[in-house]
Amino acid sequence: MSHEASDEQYSEGDLRNTGMNLRHDREWDYELERIVDEIEERDATKVGLQFPEGLKRRGPAVADDLREVVDDDITIMLSGQPCYGACDLDTFLMRRTDVFVHFGHSPMKESDKIIYVPLFSNVDPFPILEDSLDELEDPEDDPAVGLVTTAQHMNRFDEMVDWLEERGYEVHTRKGDDRLTSEGQVLGCNYASADIDAEQVLYVGGGKFHPMGLAMEYQEKNVVIADPVNNVVTIADPDKFLKQRYATVHKAMDAEKWGVIFCTKIGQGRWEIAEEILDNNENAYLITMDEVTPDRLLNFDMDAFVNTGCPRITTDDGPRFKKPMVTPGEYEIAMGNKPLEDLEFDTFHGTW
């Protein structure tokens, strides 16, 4: 086992260490005392707050609680930009504030101006871990198991490792590449932490996208999903997803005019990939945009699009686009440069 995370690393975001209470009912520690300290230390007059989509409704209440304890001349601004990850910083607001607070994700882009508040969940993961044992191999038959989770549950990661070890498992964990903050952490675009010496991987967290991407990238592994939020244990089965991607690639094989999408969001641009496609295809046209949506592409007279930005746009929203939307790897297959068998999940590695 190689995990090295420490309790001290997560003390600031741990719900057990909450000192300042919000007026509204909540499930998260917003680290208000830490934010106030930063405001005072920097003599800030403008403070920006950015929340992921699922927590935007909490924004006004968090702003209210800050207003109660900071000087009246401090302006607090809420970002209205869509936010789906730490790669999705509102750079416009960030440049116009003295302190910029990004909630819900662990750090990816380090900056003295940015405060990351990861918002650890207070959901107890151990009842669902108990249920997950029914889907894991008996440790006497195969003790090796990989453990991964999302930023929201990293505060309990060491405890989960210990829990599995106490039941006879050899827990394999690792930190992925520089895009990942913590050991055992996975993102919707990066599963390098699951590249371990075990045929089974236990994913602890909500939603199916993360474990589905993991199962796509490591198709030889059995991925067990222990969802403590919805209280359900399932097995990641990428077959349906693969069939959908195969169908999209087949449609794209007939395309002549290609729209090459370059995302201008700070952590999602892959210029080298976009440039290579343009250099090798005279019928490819570069389209730059920050938010990639089906409506924004309707007026472009293209036969297909290749998205060099966030892979979740392609996989999550792919069926909503009127023309085939493929990843760079799928583009190579559609152009006949690679065989269909090479289809794999698109991931981001490295950072910025």
Side-chain angles (χ1 to χ4, degrees), residues 78-92:
L78 298 170
S79 172
Q81 290 292 100
C83 177
Y84 303 105
C87 59
D88 206 353
L89 302 174
D90 186 344
T91 54
F92 182 91

Side-chain angles (χ1 to χ4, degrees), residues 126-186:
F126 296 103
I128 203 66
L129 281 181
E130 187 74 46
D131 292 343
S132 73
L133 297 181
D134 293 336
E135 299 296 343
L136 293 175
E137 293 289 333
D138 188 290
E140 293 187 1
D141 299 325
D142 183 6
V145 61
L147 179 66
V148 297
T149 189
T150 58
Q152 283 68 44
H153 301 283
M154 286 308 307
N155 58 321
R156 308 296 296 273
F157 188 75
D158 279 1
E159 295 176 59
M160 290 188 279
V161 170
D162 293 341
W163 190 93
L164 288 167
E165 289 181 338
E166 289 168 2
R167 283 149 184 81
Y169 287 99
E170 296 174 3
V171 183
H172 294 256
T173 69
R174 70 182 292 262
K175 183 181 181 297
D177 57 32
D178 291 339
R179 198 172 178 85
L180 298 161
T181 305
S182 305
E183 182 150 348
Q185 179 188 3
V186 292

Side-chain angles (χ1 to χ4, degrees), residues 50-58 81-85 102-105 117 119 152:
Q50 184 178 27
F51 294 85
E53 296 309 289
L55 288 173
K56 273 190 167 63
R57 61 185 178 85
R58 301 289 187 99
Q81 290 292 100
C83 177
Y84 303 105
H102 183 89
F103 295 92
H105 305 109
V117 180
L119 299 178
Q152 283 68 44

Side-chain angles (χ1 to χ4, degrees), residues 50 88-96 100 264 266:
Q50 184 178 27
D88 206 353
L89 302 174
D90 186 344
T91 54
F92 182 91
L93 181 60
M94 185 167 59
R95 287 194 296 267
R96 287 158 179 80
F100 180 78
T264 57
I266 188 171

Side-chain angles (χ1 to χ4, degrees), residues 274-300:
E275 191 173 37
E276 183 178 354
I277 294 172
L278 293 167
D279 287 344
N280 292 287
N281 188 342
E282 62 181 14
N283 291 317
Y285 303 86
L286 186 66
I287 302 172
T288 66
M289 56 179 61
D290 55 356
E291 188 73 7
V292 184
T293 66
D295 289 346
R296 287 189 170 191
L297 296 178
L298 276 178
N299 292 325
F300 287 101

Side-chain angles (χ1 to χ4, degrees), residues 212 215-216 219 237-249 330 340-345:
M212 191 62 66
M216 279 279 293
Q219 295 183 36
D237 182 5
D239 285 349
K240 182 178 179 181
F241 179 85
L242 276 169
K243 290 177 182 177
Q244 180 191 86
R245 299 314 308 161
Y246 283 139
T248 301
V249 172
E330 292 170 347
L340 190 60
E341 294 74 29
D342 281 2
L343 191 147
E344 60 185 7
F345 196 84

